[in-house]
Amino acid sequence: MRNDHPVLPGLEDRTATPRAVADAFDPARLTQARRLAGLTKKDVADQLDVTPAAVGQYETGVSRPRPDLVPQLAKVLDVPVEFFIAGRPSQRLDSSMAHFRSLRSTPKAQRERALAFAEQVWELTYALERRVQLPPVDLPGFAGGEVHPGLALPSEPTSAAQELRRQWGLGNGPVTHLVRRMEAHGIVVVLPAEADAAASTVDAFSSRSARPLVVLTRNRANDVFRHRFTAAHELGHLVLHGDATGDSRQEREADAFAAEFLTPQASILPLLPRRMDLGHLAGLRRTWGVSVHSLVYRCRELGVISDATASRTYQRLRALEGQPGFAPEPVSGYPGEQPVLLSQAFDLAAQETGLGVRELAQELAWPLARVRELLGMPDRRPVLRLV
Amino acid sequence: MDIPVSAWASELFTDEETALAVRDGIGQALVDMQANARASQLEADVTSTQVHGIARYRGAFERVSEKLADLPGAQLVKPNGFQFDLVRIGNGLLYPFCFSKKDSNVRAARIQNVWSVIRELFAFAPPPEQADLFGNYAFDPSAVELRPRLAALPEGTRLVLVPFACNASGLLKPYWGVAALADESGTLEWVIDPEPLPMPIAPTPRLTIPQQQAGHPGFDEGEQPVVALAPRPDAERKLDLTPVSEVAPLEPLINENDEK
């Protein structure tokens, strides 16, 4: 009898059988998928009708799931069954390799989820890098996936920021197009879609492996000025800190780095008003790309104003919230602050090697939507800005 | 997988070490030339390959002289009336040229346009072996009058040809050898057979990030830095070589340990 859905040769369904997947089951992939889905072992166990201990054993490799459980696992974790097959290039990240902003407020499960997200970004980057030569990593002190603080750059944050500005040829003015600049120096920057819960649970984080990675989440206020400060903060971690210890000292150092990197004392001090003229600060915000709030903070930090004046100014600022010159400005209005490296690398790979999203998804064993999402493909809607 | 350098090259470029450095430098320079020319072509987004041709022509001279200028004993020679520096190392004077846009036999390579400077360069080549019926040479190197900067080159200088096949689609096959100019139409008589030059797998990475101007433009003004992407060479992709994400540190050609 004639088949109603003839399949062209080469386009047959290439889904692996559950038995084949069970035979080549990679325990680490289960952990990764579970963390990405934000589920506990118990959550998975309940849906599979097995014990949490059994899921634990699948993840440690003590035992393998029965073939009939494989399709269920894939469904529960929203991945193709091939996701669990061992052998694809991967990068395991542990929490010492990633810095999380506002660490204390980041629960372990969310950190793990974000780490799994970073692992996926690494896999995507690697898949593209096999086809396209990405910009070489040009980050002083970064070699072989490790930071060597204090060698190429001073370990003191302010001096490190000054030296990096010098090495990157930034002169003494504002850092223009910060995110694009970081990419041009070989850092992979990702701004996950708003809908991506995996990453948005943490504020922002950076990680080092063969290529340093910065994940910038769309902060609640969607403010380009805060976004730039976060990017500079993560850059600070990348050049200053080897292992992430999770203590607040590293966070303070990254903040100090960001402040000096974006608004070097020698340039900004003569421009800061002695009396808190908010209109003047709003003008500085436009030029330097930092929030008025952080400029007030800088004024206090550099001894231009007292603590009491700073507090009064913050109060006055709250009254101006939402006013032009003080309202948050969406990142989407600033192309230089949005990452393009991965999507451009994909475009070039598509052009040069005929790579398609479907082929890439198959190679990574991800759902198609996941690839599109990380390549920034869905978010192409025009943005209406009222100026 | 080091390919040894031929004896003639070691002799001409002073010693084996220098000859190797010259050979590898030319390979890298031509790979860079081709990468730049292809990138220009890609950016130009036009159907004609003229852009590639110009970048290739100028790049062949500029990249080779830039790459070799710092080698010990290198001398840049700019013949009067010629736009580019040629490199002389030891007794070898290098002349890179594209002989074909197809992957054709290098032994059939010809000089496309034998104009005055080229003719004078062949004064540093051996004489052709074949004389005509009347015992005259179609081209006699000893009869060429040299312009001052070429005339000033030390005795014993020998022209080393670096012919390469190259096109905008990615073909690049460089050789080197020594040839006589058989006639004014550019026919070559190879005295030392052209040998293929080994090439590195990737061009020298370039950081094309504009420096910021002094003064204070707004944070969203000015040129956006270019995220430099390039297709990986086919060979690297086919061999599935691990991508390189960092630039290897520059190492001095000679260091104290070499003397051990």
Side-chain angles (χ1 to χ4, degrees):
Chain A
M1 199 181 110
R2 190 178 150 268
N3 188 339
D4 280 336
H5 303 285
V7 178
L8 289 172
L11 292 180
E12 308 89 348
D13 191 359
R14 287 166 61 188
T15 313
T17 63
R19 174 163 299 281
V21 176
D23 278 347
F25 194 82
D26 182 352
R29 289 288 178 193
L30 173 57
T31 310
Q32 191 189 33
R34 181 178 59 75
R35 287 177 173 173
L36 276 172
L39 299 177
T40 62
K41 288 175 195 154
K42 186 173 180 308
D43 294 337
V44 177
D46 287 349
Q47 299 203 48
L48 256 60
D49 211 11
V50 295
T51 62
V55 176
Q57 287 175 351
Y58 304 153
E59 290 196 15
T60 50
V62 172
S63 65
R64 289 181 192 162
R66 297 191 314 268
D68 62 296
L69 287 178
V70 169
Q72 285 187 60
L73 264 180
K75 188 158 179 274
V76 169
L77 300 173
D78 192 23
V79 290
V81 288
E82 292 83 0
F83 185 87
F84 301 111
I85 300 177
R88 295 193 307 284
S90 62
Q91 169 87 12
R92 293 280 161 266
L93 296 176
D94 64 53
S95 54
S96 78
M97 296 166 79
H99 295 273
F100 293 92
R101 224 174 153 194
S102 45
L103 189 91
R104 272 177 264 180
S105 62
T106 310
K108 180 164 170 276
Q110 292 183 0
R111 282 208 303 267
E112 285 178 342
R113 196 175 189 183
L115 277 175
F117 176 86
E119 287 172 0
Q120 281 207 318
V121 174
W122 181 91
E123 286 172 38
L124 175 64
T125 308
Y126 186 79
L128 294 171
E129 210 167 5
R130 284 173 56 207
R131 298 167 165 94
V132 170
Q133 177 67 53
L134 303 184
V137 178
D138 174 35
L139 205 54
F142 190 92
E146 284 182 332
V147 184
H148 303 277
L151 281 180
L153 285 185
S155 47
E156 195 277 313
T158 309
S159 320
Q162 290 163 355
E163 181 57 20
L164 186 64
R165 284 184 66 99
R166 195 189 64 74
Q167 292 199 20
W168 280 10
L170 297 175
N172 59 2
V175 181
T176 59
H177 314 297
L178 174 59
V179 167
R180 187 64 43 79
R181 198 166 289 281
M182 286 165 65
E183 291 188 309
H185 287 283
I187 300 167
V188 175
V189 185
V190 185
L191 181 61
E194 266 160 278
D196 194 326
S200 62
T201 48
V202 291
D203 191 356
F205 61 101
S206 48
S207 164
R208 57 186 169 76
S209 54
R211 200 172 265 284
L213 164 69
V214 170
V215 179
L216 298 171
T217 54
R218 292 174 195 265
N219 52 61
R220 261 164 261 123
N222 188 11
D223 182 24
V224 72
F225 304 108
R226 188 181 156 180
H227 171 81
R228 277 168 53 87
F229 195 87
T230 305
H233 172 104
E234 299 304 334
L235 181 60
H237 278 310
L238 288 176
V239 294
L240 290 171
H241 302 135
D243 283 350
T245 55
D247 64 21
S248 55
R249 182 186 55 86
Q250 287 192 339
E251 295 306 299
R252 278 199 310 276
E253 286 182 351
D255 276 341
F257 175 94
E260 182 67 16
F261 189 73
L262 293 173
T263 49
Q265 180 175 352
S267 304
I268 202 76
L269 191 55
L271 303 173
L272 291 174
R274 308 291 123 170
R275 301 174 77 86
M276 283 298 89
D277 175 349
L278 292 179
H280 182 84
L281 288 178
L284 288 179
R285 166 177 112 142
R286 277 254 19 98
T287 307
W288 290 81
V290 288
S291 68
V292 175
H293 204 279
S294 73
L295 283 166
V296 176
Y297 190 90
R298 196 85 171 118
C299 286
R300 194 191 57 75
E301 188 177 56
L302 298 177
V304 176
I305 56 170
S306 66
D307 287 0
T309 311
S311 304
R312 275 199 306 278
T313 314
Y314 290 139
Q315 279 175 13
R316 285 167 60 203
L317 268 179
R318 272 195 287 279
L320 283 168
E321 252 171 36
Q323 295 303 311
F326 298 91
E329 294 204 18
V331 178
S332 52
Y334 296 87
E337 304 301 344
Q338 295 168 42
V340 296
L341 188 147
L342 290 180
S343 61
Q344 285 187 357
F346 172 78
D347 289 346
L348 185 61
Q351 188 187 326
E352 289 285 324
T353 67
L355 179 71
V357 186
R358 198 168 290 277
E359 182 190 342
L360 189 57
Q362 209 161 47
E363 182 178 317
L364 295 164
W366 294 358
L368 207 57
R370 184 69 175 159
V371 180
R372 287 185 191 281
E373 200 175 291
L374 287 197
L375 288 175
M377 284 178 163
D379 201 18
R380 291 258 166 92
R381 290 162 301 176
V383 175
L384 176 66
R385 287 185 67 211
L386 299 174
V387 286
Chain B
M1 207 187 63
D2 282 349
I3 305 164
V5 75
S6 303
W8 67 266
S10 297
E11 194 184 327
L12 204 52
F13 295 110
T14 317
D15 53 38
E16 190 181 349
E17 192 184 347
T18 313
L20 263 173
V22 173
R23 189 190 68 180
D24 294 348
I26 298 173
Q28 181 71 64
L30 294 180
V31 166
D32 290 352
M33 164 209 79
Q34 172 70 320
N36 293 347
R38 291 192 77 201
S40 313
Q41 184 69 47
L42 197 72
E43 284 293 312
D45 195 19
V46 291
T47 47
S48 146
T49 57
Q50 276 171 315
V51 178
H52 179 272
I54 291 171
R56 185 209 69 219
Y57 174 68
R58 299 196 67 97
F61 295 109
E62 292 179 9
R63 292 292 79 71
V64 169
S65 59
E66 179 186 76
K67 202 80 208 167
L68 303 183
D70 293 334
L71 288 183
Q75 177 196 356
L76 296 184
V77 182
K78 191 172 189 179
N80 312 60
F82 193 59
Q83 290 185 58
F84 306 101
D85 284 320
L86 300 176
V87 186
R88 180 180 181 276
I89 297 184
N91 276 330
L93 177 65
L94 296 160
Y95 178 68
F97 67 101
C98 175
F99 72 92
S100 173
K101 288 185 184 173
K102 291 185 201 143
D103 188 2
S104 38
N105 181 3
V106 65
R107 290 191 53 82
R110 297 164 67 90
I111 300 287
Q112 300 292 332
N113 177 10
V114 185
W115 61 293
S116 54
V117 169
I118 306 300
R119 187 180 302 109
E120 289 170 42
L121 286 177
F122 276 92
F124 300 96
E129 286 188 352
Q130 305 229 335
D132 65 11
L133 280 175
F134 307 101
N136 295 322
Y137 290 110
F139 172 77
D140 182 0
S142 61
V144 175
E145 196 174 320
L146 297 175
R147 56 198 68 210
R149 286 187 203 144
L150 290 179
L153 288 177
E155 205 166 321
T157 300
R158 281 278 166 268
L159 182 68
V160 177
L161 299 179
V162 183
F164 56 90
C166 179
N167 65 27
S169 307
L171 169 71
L172 178 64
K173 281 198 175 176
Y175 305 83
W176 70 358
V178 173
L181 185 64
D183 56 42
E184 297 277 346
S185 67
T187 311
L188 296 173
E189 262 179 32
W190 290 97
V191 179
I192 292 171
D193 265 348
E195 300 168 0
L197 291 177
M199 288 187 291
I201 46 182
T204 312
R206 306 170 70 201
L207 292 176
T208 52
I209 302 163
Q211 299 239 325
Q212 287 193 181
Q213 299 299 311
H216 295 173
F219 77 99
D220 56 345
E221 292 169 12
E223 211 178 332
Q224 284 189 21
V226 176
V227 179
L229 302 168
R232 283 188 84 196
D234 282 346
E236 269 186 44
R237 280 210 303 267
K238 282 178 190 148
L239 293 171
D240 203 14
L241 296 181
T242 309
V244 177
S245 60
E246 291 166 27
V247 182
L250 291 178
E251 286 173 14
L253 284 171
I254 297 171
N255 64 42
E256 289 170 356
N257 295 336
D258 289 347
E259 291 176 10
K260 276 198 281 194

